[in-house]
Amino acid sequence: MPPALTNTPVPVDSGLPVNWDLAKRTAARLMSSGPQASRAEAHELVVRLRADAAVAEGHVRTVTGLGEGLPLLPADVVDRPRWAAAAVDGMAALTSGAALPRTPKVARAVTGTTAGLQVGSVLAYLGGRVLGQYDPFGGADGAGRLLLVAPNVHAAQRALDVPSTDFGLWVCLHEATHRLQFTAVPWLRDHFSEQVSTFLSLADTDGSDVLARLPEIARRMRETGGDALAVVELLQGPEQRAVLDRLLALTTLLEGHADHVMDAVGPQVVPSVATIRDRFTVRRRGGGLLDRLLRALLGVEAKMKQYAVGSAFTSYVVLAVGMDGFNRVWESPQTLPTRAELADPAAWLRRLG
């Protein structure tokens, strides 16, 4: 008799089938150059943002109690195409550990080309909106990289009509918080990477599970008015949905914590912080019909909800038990809040005693 098929390992490819070089070229070709500024204005902004990044991290350490003794690392101030190229490199590094069933070489090449065009198009859209980003998997050594997108900071500051010195520092506070989250919490980077790889490795490659859930998906779309996140969740199998829950909980915590910190430094550091927050919140909700549609399709609207839920959780816990009590979230993966606990912070407090 032939050997049992169940004992035969399934060949796998490592990483997503994406033509990453094509993604970079596509993003660069589709992306606008950004607002016009004189050489002197551009130079002054770059110098100031580099200085702001170091100043911001000092304030973040004071507010959060994280990072004592760690070196103050520099930030890279970039234009839109360089941000897109760095984002592609970070995505490639993050997803390289995903084990996917092996596909024929020709099919993988076709899929990689299509995916590369899609990734590049999405980054071209986002490249005009991202103010800054900390990529824990970026940089030449893969140890992390903080990026500040100068033309977008300049454009947003002018659109909001707020002081440029305050706004740049305020943006840096958010990204410096993300950098400290990953550099001051030793296990977080590997945990995040492991969850992403597990999620991708559990993908339903033949689509059979999705087909079986189509009636449920259609019903949920009607009930939620086409909520993108609700539909994405229904497209996952039970195992993948459990991992997605953990990833969404983690990213919600990280974004909300950073949003809380950037406001918690107060007017003594950023005098116009209240005005910036009010106008920036309105800007997040704004945009024309096409812009709002694209944001919904790309999951940006879901990300906005993450900021609000995560920030509310952080504020509740800090008010109840102080920042030292809140910092118990960083003790281990087991002390991270679940999605349910993010909406009910008192339940997280009870679980941790």
Side-chain angles (χ1 to χ4, degrees):
M1 294 179 64
L5 294 178
T6 52
N7 293 329
T8 304
V10 178
V12 296
D13 291 312
S14 180
L16 296 182
V18 179
N19 186 327
W20 298 112
D21 288 336
L22 178 60
K24 289 183 183 180
R25 296 196 303 272
T26 301
R29 186 164 55 249
L30 297 178
M31 193 179 297
S32 63
S33 59
Q36 295 299 313
S38 69
R39 184 178 294 273
E41 284 179 316
H43 177 73
E44 189 273 335
L45 178 59
V46 169
V47 170
R48 179 159 44 80
L49 286 175
R50 285 175 178 157
D52 283 346
V55 171
E57 185 155 327
H59 290 302
V60 172
R61 293 183 185 198
T62 299
V63 170
T64 64
L66 299 174
E68 183 179 356
L70 292 178
L72 279 173
L73 301 173
D76 293 331
V77 183
V78 299
D79 58 14
R80 291 173 175 180
R82 286 180 63 198
W83 170 81
V88 169
D89 289 339
M91 284 189 287
L94 175 59
T95 61
S96 62
L100 305 175
R102 185 166 295 165
T103 54
K105 187 175 182 180
V106 173
R108 187 175 177 85
V110 172
T111 302
T113 298
T114 302
L117 290 170
Q118 291 172 337
V119 169
S121 299
V122 169
L123 290 177
Y125 170 80
L126 295 176
R129 290 154 177 78
V130 173
L131 302 178
Q133 177 184 7
Y134 177 67
D135 180 1
F137 307 94
D141 56 0
R145 186 182 185 193
L146 194 156
L147 301 168
L148 299 167
V149 190
N152 295 349
V153 173
H154 178 68
Q157 175 264 320
R158 295 183 66 177
L160 296 174
D161 190 24
V162 293
S164 58
T165 51
D166 286 6
F167 186 69
L169 180 58
W170 189 73
V171 171
C172 289
L173 288 167
H174 188 99
E175 302 312 323
T177 304
H178 282 321
R179 176 156 64 183
L180 268 184
Q181 289 164 346
F182 282 93
T183 56
V185 182
W187 52 267
L188 184 58
R189 185 178 182 274
D190 288 343
H191 174 71
F192 183 70
S193 176
E194 178 186 335
Q195 295 300 308
V196 170
S197 295
T198 301
F199 177 75
L200 295 174
S201 300
L202 290 170
D204 174 26
T205 56
D206 64 5
S208 58
D209 200 25
V210 173
L211 290 174
R213 288 198 301 278
L214 278 179
E216 182 185 2
I217 292 170
R219 178 181 58 79
R220 188 65 179 273
M221 288 186 70
R222 290 194 300 271
E223 292 175 351
T224 64
D227 185 287
L229 182 55
V231 174
V232 167
E233 290 175 309
L234 283 173
L235 290 174
Q236 318 306 326
E239 289 182 274
Q240 200 178 24
R241 198 179 306 173
V243 181
L244 179 62
D245 263 1
R246 293 195 293 272
L247 275 171
L248 287 171
L250 176 56
T251 55
T252 298
L253 175 70
L254 298 180
E255 294 293 0
H257 178 236
D259 244 25
H260 172 87
V261 170
M262 72 194 302
D263 293 339
V265 295
Q268 69 274 17
V269 174
V270 182
S272 58
V273 61
T275 301
I276 292 174
R277 167 56 69 194
D278 289 344
R279 294 181 184 178
F280 193 74
T281 300
V282 172
R283 180 177 182 265
R284 276 179 175 172
R285 300 195 197 106
L289 178 61
L290 178 59
D291 188 61
R292 293 199 301 272
L293 176 61
L294 285 171
R295 288 192 329 216
L297 291 173
L298 297 174
V300 178
E301 295 301 326
K303 191 174 180 65
M304 296 304 102
K305 295 177 183 177
Q306 283 185 299
Y307 287 116
V309 172
S311 182
F313 173 87
T314 304
S315 298
Y316 182 101
V317 174
V318 169
L319 184 62
V321 295
M323 186 59 76
D324 287 343
F326 171 86
N327 282 342
R328 290 202 62 192
V329 299
W330 312 122
E331 289 181 2
S332 75
Q334 288 69 44
T335 60
L336 290 171
T338 64
R339 284 183 72 186
E341 288 171 338
L342 284 167
D344 182 10
W348 180 82
L349 288 169
R350 288 193 299 271
R351 177 164 68 86
L352 269 67

